[in-house]
């Protein structure tokens, strides 16, 4: 067939002129999405026309890192592609607001900045007078340009900062229990080196949009991809196998693979011997490790944490300073007799022997089938593949939100441990990490400008390390030493410096004492009912033993009076939501301030709302991470819309107003509970180092320069060089424990694989045993039967109901950030929905898009039903991120979450089982919520 | 029909002036499917009934060098959000002997004054256009022309529409054709009802 | 027979061969993220009357897609003849919602209201561009779905152009982009009826139809279209399908692993797809069923025609090959080691261009004769 309808070249009519001019701009700058989009770091170009930001597009200027590995271009995602659309739209805040009528009534008075600042300053002074500066509290966000100004501000006046990590609940607790750190993170391109990818408790098609391609490209290179998840989430389709393990049954599945590997003798023995505690000897009489004090008695030279291997017919010390055995084949199996210092003879066995008995007894593939529903042959097949191939477990932060998520993660790590799958390109497991831009940490506390100030801070750490090493020469790596410093400092305060002036705490105690969670967590039948003791007994013991000394506030007698939520959305995020926090906490607070670029659910329920600049309207950085290995800039591309201001400026204005109001109210100085003195008059000077960093550009530049000083960025990197390129690749880990946790060199031309140092150089792990630790002989673990990884059923937190609500990050929004973006809302149904299975829908006579009420013993919420064949019968999926006010009656899915914490997380006093900032601590859980649903109104 | 000169502009269809002017009922027929301008439309509409409006009542008047054409027809159909009711009057070039039923041809285009009922969304658009038509739906706007105006009202299931334009257009051939589109039947372009004979004025 | 645009008003000099720009989407890398859709939306359809327009969309298959049930709407060229089609309605597209931000945030109504699309009584809140996202088909645990990104196919036989009575539509001679001169469009919408892919939208404010313009202003600057360049899945090849050294020619013509969607629609699309693989299905006892593909082959054939079996077979055997240690040129091509290799000659970084409104206006005046 011949078709003739061509028209003259490029004559495109008035329509064309219209489109030509739509694609025009007068300025291009850098931008990225610096909120809690993690790992993100996508460099975008931001296009500006007539002083307004009109659109953005990934810059896509990355060079190849490693020859033969796909480059990182273009990065970006659906949210990033319309970030600009929220600048001038429905939920954008343009003016300071003051509540009229009751909280959450939706009535506001637009006020001037001066009025707003006065209200905030007076609120602070009232609180300080009533309950000291610690009664002003922040929860917050990790967004760099929000959290640094906020924390520096709180440092100035002595407010209480809650450790952020548990609030957003992404602490991979089982990784921490195993490795003494939760944050090994390979660069995303390292995935390309994998031969077997287990997508497990992760949904990268939703949550790793810029990087997911590396998995699929690895597949095209020969890797097999296995998706392990009850439902057919969006990542199932590009997998070779979908393994629908029942909700929360993953530990059994992993342990059965371990059983197969041990039974078939295909474990990586050299790796197991060097990297793990599996060859460490355990006393069969006490179930505790064989220790030096057992053999030598309680003498000064005998170390409590010196463990043993069995070699050549006798126990030999397990080296704490280096893991390499240089071919020494310490025993993995068998039972041996040792003579203790008092002459008693006891039997000991390597952990591996105990593990073998344990999995043979409880987790053969046949036994696991009952728990997981997975056919035993499937278990065997995957186990054999894992033993033979470079295996990468793509873990998200889903497992850690299960009550027994630590057990799931420990079992996953164990699978990698017995198959030799970490520290080599294309292997491992991941959580998240921050660090590298050390200037971000120094900026929170810095008091002296420039290099001198950096020297002071980083030098102090050096000195502390030296002192520790003198005492313990087995602290052979910086990582070990820095962690030790961090753990010691944690006892003093969250930032570790100038302790009496700072008040920080893990939020568990805040929730427990001030948020009404005491009552919930103590509900025995909502927790692990196999325990011999009640929650309160463990809790009391933890406090008695001093494991949380100085960290266990604010106690009931020190109630908070003011909350400043900057960039965060506490009411949306908190497990239990308003049902839990409303009467317990919210009503107690005299003043609630929300600082944000958008009116979120927390803002909607606040008293004073201050409009902040959005990420394209201020100088900002993305949270740096080894996923991407770059420091990524987001610049001020246009003046903030309306009257909005950057947080850095907002806090300066508050401090100035605070000084003014304090003077007017006759407050010259005040003290915190430690007796440290604060003088409002000098706070702005201190905040800005006498004006040195008052300007936004100067502040950002100082962060970069300090990061150069600490060796993480190349010489000469500064704000202006970053403005040229948009991002800069890191060259060193610097000095934060989160970054040093990578334990691997940074190569300019190789993907980043964490744990190389452990494997290649025998660097010890920062655990009690200095090894990847699968046997935890802390008395609580033994008492709970969790000293080896086990499967335990998800507790019935919320009552005995037939369905299990699971969750995860959705595709459309980073938490609630983009959930009201009009463009994004059009890409789904524009309203909260839950996905339900065909069976469950049929049983209850519910059809697609009908309103249903999901309920349990706590309360209920209403959402649209999305009937999806890929949902496991018995499962309800409520992807999170919907803001409270998107639901009927402002009751979202988090209202029916109990937010239980596992008692074990209150433990301490055992090597890595000790609090330090953003590390070991209790975290509320919210997965596998027991519930049911019915048609709304029925 | 007589082109009567009236004393004031009768653009408003309910203007009292129209009571002075005589009316004539004009029969309309669907635009022939064979005359449709392309194979797609010929294929797609050969079995689709269209041309719902069977007759209109026509009056014409002249004022201040403008010609006013008033059309009135029954329309009790539910409006359709996709297509709007519309009507047009068209004028051949003088000497053309072709039938009006194709609304012009390639070789003998006609001048089409068209009124389209505008929706709320289209409040920014004019309800009338000055077009050259060289076949059913083969309409091309007369660039820059602003000489066509229209007013319309719908009451009691009856459209009354007045379309006006310059007298100079009419003067050549002194005849006109009528086309009416029933929006509720997805009528537009060549899918409509047309007068099968020229009406002399 | 020769199908022409019988009412074209502006004929090209056809002494040279018509050019064509084509695309290949690798469905085995698409994650349904909608970045392509949004990239397009933000760039092109932000004005009044364009709220519901998504020239680029990605839908879950099997599904009703956008507009709802579009595959059942007819059109195309069947047996050499343009076939009758249904014009998708505003309600069938759905979407384009407004939200009650004001009411929720500032209306003083507290919990008695919540944020939702405003129902204007026109049924547009009952469907949207991605309404049946991730639903798919099949019976658990053997349910299945995959993503299908779609845009105007810039067909070699653009039946929309055939159907346009007002001569507004045409296919650009130099690159085959199908465009519409909006100053000539009379809003008759026969193009929407005739297009079997239902990829033309109607602007109810301006009374003209609109559709994907293949980012022609970008193509003219050698910048890849926004959907392709912003796709984080790195899976959209753009280029000249006749360039024998280019990936599109190889994937489509040489290796025959990329296929047009619904070839039976007869318009000869220039958008091609690598058909999707899927995980093995499970037997009753939850063991692996290596024999029964999860996505029924008939369904794939329905979408991509009978060629799909050999195309899919080829991808699968190449995959088997690399797992056995062989190398595969096809799979290496699909890996796209260097991202820019996706885009043929369209590799310019738009951030380096000067496109100030003034300059664009001047350029327009100089080279176009509107
Ligand atoms: S939101 Fe995050 S992932 Fe998406 S484009 Fe921005 S930085 Fe990248
Ligand atoms: S942007 Fe790419 S991966 Fe995302 S939906 Fe579009 S084609 Fe698929």
């Amino acid at each position: 067939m011949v078709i003739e309808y061509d028209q003259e070249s490029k004559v495109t009519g008035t329509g064309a002129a219209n489109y030509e001019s739509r694609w025009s701009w007068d300025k291009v700058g850098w931008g990225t999405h610096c909120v809690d989009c993690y790992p993100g770091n996508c460099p975008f170009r931001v296009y500006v026309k007539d002083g307004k930001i009109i659109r953005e597009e990934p810059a896509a200027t990355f060079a190849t890192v490693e020859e033969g590995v796909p480059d990182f271009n273009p990065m970006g995602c659906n949210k990033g592609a319309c970030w600009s659309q929220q600048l001038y739209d429905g939920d954008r805040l343009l003016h300071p607001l003051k509540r009229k009528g009751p909280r959450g009534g939706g009535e506001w008075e637009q006020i001037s900045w001066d009025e707003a600042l006065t209200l905030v300053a007076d609120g602070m002074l009232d609180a300080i007078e009533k309950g000291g500066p610690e009664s002003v509290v922040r929860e917050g966000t990790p967004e760099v340009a929000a959290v640094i100004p906020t924390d520096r501000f709180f440092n100035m006046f002595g407010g209480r900062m809650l450790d952020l990590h548990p609030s957003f609940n992404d602490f991979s607790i089982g990784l921490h229990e195993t490795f003494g750190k939760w944050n090994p993170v390979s660069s995303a391109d390292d995935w390309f080196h994998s031969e077997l990818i287990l997508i497990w408790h992760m949904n990268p098609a939703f949550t790793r949009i810029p990087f997911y391609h590396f998995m699929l490209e690895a597949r095209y290179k020969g890797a097999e991809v296995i998706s392990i998840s009850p439902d057919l989430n969006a990542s199932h389709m590009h997998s070779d196998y979908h393994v629908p393990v029942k909700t929360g049954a993953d530990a059994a599945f992993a342990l059965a693979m371990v059983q197969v590997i041990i039974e078939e003798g295909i474990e990586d023995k050299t790796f197991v011997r060097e990297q793990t505690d599996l060859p460490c000897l355990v006393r069969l009489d006490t179930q505790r490790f064989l220790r030096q004090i057992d053999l030598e008695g309680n003498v000064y030279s005998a170390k409590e944490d010196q463990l043993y291997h069995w070699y050549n017919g006798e126990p030999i010390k397990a080296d704490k300073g280096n893991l390499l055995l240089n071919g020494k084949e310490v025993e993995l199996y068998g039972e041996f007799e040792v003579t203790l210092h008092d002459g008693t003879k006891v039997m000991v066995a390597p952990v591996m022997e105990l593990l073998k008995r344990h999995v043979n007894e409880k987790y053969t593939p046949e036994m696991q089938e009952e728990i997981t529903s997975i056919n035993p042959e499937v278990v065997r097949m995957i186990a054999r593949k894992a033993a033979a191939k470079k295996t990468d477990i793509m873990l998200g932060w889903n497992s850690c939100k299960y009550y027994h998520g630590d057990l799931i993660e420990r079992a996953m790590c164990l699978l990698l441990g017995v198959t030799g799958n970490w520290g080599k390109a294309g292997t491992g497991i991941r959580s998240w990490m921050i660090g590298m831009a050390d200037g971000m940490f120094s900026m929170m506390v810095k008091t002296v400008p420039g290099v001198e100030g950096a020297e002071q801070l980083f030098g102090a750490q050096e000195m502390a390390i030296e002192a520790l090493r003198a005492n313990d020469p087995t602290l052979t790596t910086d990582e070990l030493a820095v962690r030790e410093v961090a753990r010691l400092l944690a006892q003093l305060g969250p930032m570790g410096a100038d302790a009496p002036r700072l008040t920080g705490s893990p939020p568990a105690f805040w929730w427990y004492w001030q948020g009404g969670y005491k009552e919930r967590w103590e509900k025995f039948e909502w927790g692990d009912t196999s325990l011999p003791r009640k929650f309160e007994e463990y809790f009391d013991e933890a406090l008695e033993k001093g494991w949380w000394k100085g960290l266990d506030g604010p106690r009931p007698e020190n109630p908070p009076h003011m909350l400043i939520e900057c960039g965060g959305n506490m009411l949306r995020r908190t497990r239990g939501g308003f049902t839990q926090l409303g009467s317990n906490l919210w009503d107690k607070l005299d003043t609630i301030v929300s600082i944000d670029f958008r009116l979120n659910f927390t803002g909607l329920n606040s008293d004073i709302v201050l409009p902040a600049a959005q990420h394209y309207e201020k100088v900002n950085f993305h949270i740096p991470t080894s996923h991407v290995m770059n420091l990524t800039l987001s610049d001020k591309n246009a003046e903030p819309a309306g009257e909005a201001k950057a947080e850095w400026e907002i806090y300066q204005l508050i401090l100035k107003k605070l000084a003014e109001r304090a003077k007017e109210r006759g407050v010259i100085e005040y003290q915190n509970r430690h007796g440290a003195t604060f003088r409002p008059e000098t706070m702005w000077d201190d905040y800005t180092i006498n004006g040195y960093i008052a300007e936004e550009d100067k502040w950002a530049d100082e962060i970069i320069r300090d990061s150069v000083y600490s060796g993480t960025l190349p010489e000469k990197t500064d704000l202006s060089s970053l403005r040229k390129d948009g991002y800069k690749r890191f060259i060193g880990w610097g000095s934060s424990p989160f970054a040093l946790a990578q334990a691997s060199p940074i190569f300019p031309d190789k993907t980043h694989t964490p744990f190389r140092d452990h494997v290649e150089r025998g660097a010890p792990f920062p655990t009690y045993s200095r090894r990847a630790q699968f046997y935890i002989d802390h008395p609580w673990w033994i008492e709970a039967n969790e000293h080896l990884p086990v499967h335990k059923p998800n507790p019935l937190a919320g009552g005995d109901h037939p369905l299990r609500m699971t969750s995860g990050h959705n595709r459309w929004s980073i938490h609630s950030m983009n959930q009201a973006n009009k463009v994004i809302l059009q890409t789904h149904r524009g309203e909260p929905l839950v996905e339900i299975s065909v069976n469950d829908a049929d049983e209850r006579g519910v059809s697609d898009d009908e309103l249903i009420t999901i309920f349990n013993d706590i309360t209920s919420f209403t959402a649209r039903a999305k009937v999806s064949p890929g949902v496991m019968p018995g499962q309800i999926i409520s992807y999170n991120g919907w803001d409270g006010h998107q639901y009927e009656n402002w009751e979202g899915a988090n209202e029916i979450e109990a937010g239980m914490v596992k008692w074990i997380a209150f433990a301490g006093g055992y090597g890595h089982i000790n609090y330090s900032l953003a590390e070991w601590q209790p975290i509320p859980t919210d997965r596998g919520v027991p519930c049911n649903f019915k048609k709304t109104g029925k | 029909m007589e082109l009567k000169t009236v004393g004031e502009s009768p653009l408003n269809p309910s203007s009292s002036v129209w009571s002075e002017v005589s009316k004539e009922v004009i029969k309309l027929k669907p635009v022939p499917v064979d005359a449709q301008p392309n194979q797609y439309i010929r294929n797609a509409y050969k079995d689709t009934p269209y041309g719902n409006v069977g007759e209109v009542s026509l009056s014409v008047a002249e004022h201040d060098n403008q010609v006013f054409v008033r059309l009135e027809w029954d329309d009790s159909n539910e409006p359709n959000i996709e297509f709007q009711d519309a009507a047009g009057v068209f004028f051949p070039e003088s000497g053309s002997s072709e039938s009006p039923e194709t609304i012009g041809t390639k070789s003998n285009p006609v001048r089409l004054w068209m009124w389209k009922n505008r929706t709320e969304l289209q409040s920014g658009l004019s309800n009338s256009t000055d077009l050259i038509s060289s076949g059913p739906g083969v309409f091309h706007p007369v660039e820059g022309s602003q000489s066509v105006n229209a007013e319309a009202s719908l009451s009691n299931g009856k459209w009354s529409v007045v379309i006006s334009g310059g007298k100079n257009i009419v003067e050549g051939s002194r005849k006109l054709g009528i086309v009416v589109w029933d929006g509720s039947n997805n009528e537009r372009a060549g899918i409509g009802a047309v007068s099968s004979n020229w009406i002399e004025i | 027979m020769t199908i022409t645009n019988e009412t074209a008003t502006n004929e090209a000099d056809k002494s040279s061969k018509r050019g064509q720009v084509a695309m290949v989407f690798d469905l085995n890398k698409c994650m349904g993220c909608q970045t392509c859709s949004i990239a397009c939306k933000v760039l092109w359809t932000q004005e009044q009357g364009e709220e519901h327009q998504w020239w680029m969309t990605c839908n879950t298959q099997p599904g009703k897609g956008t507009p709802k049930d579009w595959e059942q709407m007819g059109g195309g060229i069947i047996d050499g003849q343009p076939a009758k089609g249904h014009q998708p309605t505003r309600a069938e597209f759905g979407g384009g919602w407004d939200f009650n931000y004001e009411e929720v945030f500032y209306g003083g109504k507290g919990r008695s209201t919540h944020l939702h699309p405003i129902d204007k009584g026109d049924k547009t809140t009952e469907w949207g561009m991605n309404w049946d996202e991730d639903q798919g088909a099949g019976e658990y645990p053997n349910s299945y779905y995959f993503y299908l990104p779609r845009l105007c196919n810039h067909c070699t036989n653009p039946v929309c152009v055939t159907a346009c009575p007002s001569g507004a539509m045409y296919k650009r001679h130099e690159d085959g982009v199908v465009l519409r001169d909006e100053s000539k469009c009379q809003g008759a919408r026969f193009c929407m009826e005739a297009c079997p892919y239902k990829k033309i939208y109607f602007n109810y404010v301006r009374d003209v139809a609109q559709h994907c313009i293949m980012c022609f202003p970008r193509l003219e600057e050698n910048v890849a279209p926004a959907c392709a360049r912003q796709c984080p899945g790195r899976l959209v090849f753009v280029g000249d399908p006749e360039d024998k050294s280019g990936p599109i020619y190889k994937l489509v013509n040489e290796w025959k692993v990329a296929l047009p969607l619904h070839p039976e629609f007869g318009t000869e699309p220039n958008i091609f797809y690598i058909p999707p693989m899927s995980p093995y299905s499970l037997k009753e006892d939850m063991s692996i069923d290596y024999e029964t593909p999860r996505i029924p082959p008939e369904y794939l054939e329905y979408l991509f025609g009978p060629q799909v079996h050999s195309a899919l077979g080829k991808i699968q055997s190449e995959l088997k090959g690399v797992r056995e240690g062989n190398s595969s040129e096809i799979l290496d091509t699909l890996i796209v080691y260097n991202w820019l290799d996706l885009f043929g000659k369209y590799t310019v970084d738009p951030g380096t261009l000067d496109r100030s409104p003034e300059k664009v206006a001047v350029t327009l005046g100089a080279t176009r004769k509107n």
Side-chain angles (χ1 to χ4, degrees), chain A residues 1-14 16-17 19-20 22-25 45 47 49 55 57-61 64 68 70-71 73-74 76-78 81-82 85 90-91 104-108 192 206 209 212-213 216-217 219-224 230 232-234 236-241 244 373 375 378 381 578 599 811-812 820 822 825-831 848-849 866-873 885-890, chain C residues 1-5 10 12 18 26-33 35 38 42-44 46-47 50 54-55 95-97 99 101 105-111 113-117 129-131 133-135 138 140 143 145-147 157-158 161-162 169-171 173-174 179 181-183 210 216-218 220 229-232 234 277 279-280 285-288 290 294 319 322-323 331 334-335 337-339 349-351 353 355-357 360 364 368-370:
Chain A
M1 183 163 34
V2 186
I3 300 285
E4 288 177 12
Y5 12 38
D6 296 19
Q7 291 197 17
E8 190 175 322
S9 209
K10 294 196 179 174
V11 176
T12 36
T14 50
Y19 296 121
E20 287 280 6
R22 287 188 197 190
W23 193 52
S24 69
W25 55 86
R45 287 218 166 90
Y47 293 88
K49 188 147 76 181
R55 59 181 286 273
E57 181 164 343
T61 52
T64 295
D71 60 42
N73 295 310
C77 78
N78 51 341
C82 60
Q85 302 306 302
D91 62 348
E107 258 192 291
W108 301 96
F192 186 70
F206 277 20
I209 290 172
Y212 181 42
H213 64 89
L216 305 181
E217 286 151 356
R219 189 182 187 211
Y220 279 154
K221 198 75 192 156
E224 288 183 277
L232 282 94
N233 64 35
H236 90 278
M237 73 185 67
H238 303 317
S239 307
D240 298 287
Y241 302 89
S373 88
N375 184 290
V378 175
M381 171 196 65
F578 211 88
L599 194 49
R811 169 184 276 145
W812 320 299
K822 198 151 92 186
L825 282 167
Q826 314 274 341
T827 66
H828 46 87
R829 295 188 185 180
E831 278 184 280
D848 192 56
D849 209 41
K866 190 158 162 187
V867 183
S868 299
V871 175
M872 177 182 263
H885 54 274
Q886 293 181 284
Y887 289 93
E888 287 199 359
N889 203 31
W890 296 9
Chain C
M1 71 171 278
T2 302
I3 297 183
T4 61
N5 179 347
N10 195 345
R18 182 207 286 156
D26 179 359
L27 298 188
N28 290 304
K29 285 172 102 177
C30 176
M31 61 193 127
C33 65
T35 308
I38 289 173
V42 171
L43 176 53
W44 297 125
Q46 287 289 328
E47 295 185 3
E50 296 168 353
W54 291 85
W55 299 347
W97 308 312
F99 289 82
Y101 296 109
F105 290 135
Y106 307 108
K109 293 193 176 167
R111 293 181 168 224
T113 184
H114 63 277
L115 193 69
H116 60 74
M129 59 83 90
N130 191 28
W131 191 265
E133 181 176 30
D134 293 353
Q135 285 179 298
Y140 187 90
S143 19
Y145 59 90
F146 61 92
Y147 300 119
N157 291 342
V161 178
T162 309
M169 292 195 71
Y170 61 100
K171 191 166 170 71
H173 191 70
E174 72 266 36
L179 292 173
D181 181 340
E182 290 174 11
S183 66
Q210 288 176 272
F216 73 83
R218 293 167 64 107
E220 287 167 15
R229 193 173 180 280
Q230 297 204 40
C231 168
R234 329 162 90 240
M277 301 180 280
Y280 298 114
D285 66 355
M286 299 290 274
S287 62
I288 309 291
Y290 290 96
R294 209 172 257 261
L319 200 58
V322 292
R323 284 175 181 167
L331 299 184
L334 295 175
I335 287 175
Y337 288 90
N338 293 305
W339 173 71
D349 173 355
L353 297 174
R355 283 188 64 88
S356 61
V360 169
L364 272 172
R368 307 200 200 283
K369 21 170 196 161
N370 286 320

Side-chain angles (χ1 to χ4, degrees), chain C residues 325-342:
Chain C
N326 304 330
S327 67
S328 160
E329 202 190 336
I330 299 182
L331 299 184
D332 275 345
T333 304
L334 295 175
I335 287 175
V336 196
Y337 288 90
N338 293 305
W339 173 71
L340 285 176
D341 290 349
L342 283 165

Side-chain angles (χ1 to χ4, degrees), chain A residues 820-841:
Chain A
N821 181 325
K822 198 151 92 186
V823 175
I824 287 273
L825 282 167
Q826 314 274 341
T827 66
H828 46 87
R829 295 188 185 180
E831 278 184 280
L833 49 84
V834 292
E835 292 190 38
I836 57 176
S837 75
V838 176
N839 294 31
D840 293 318

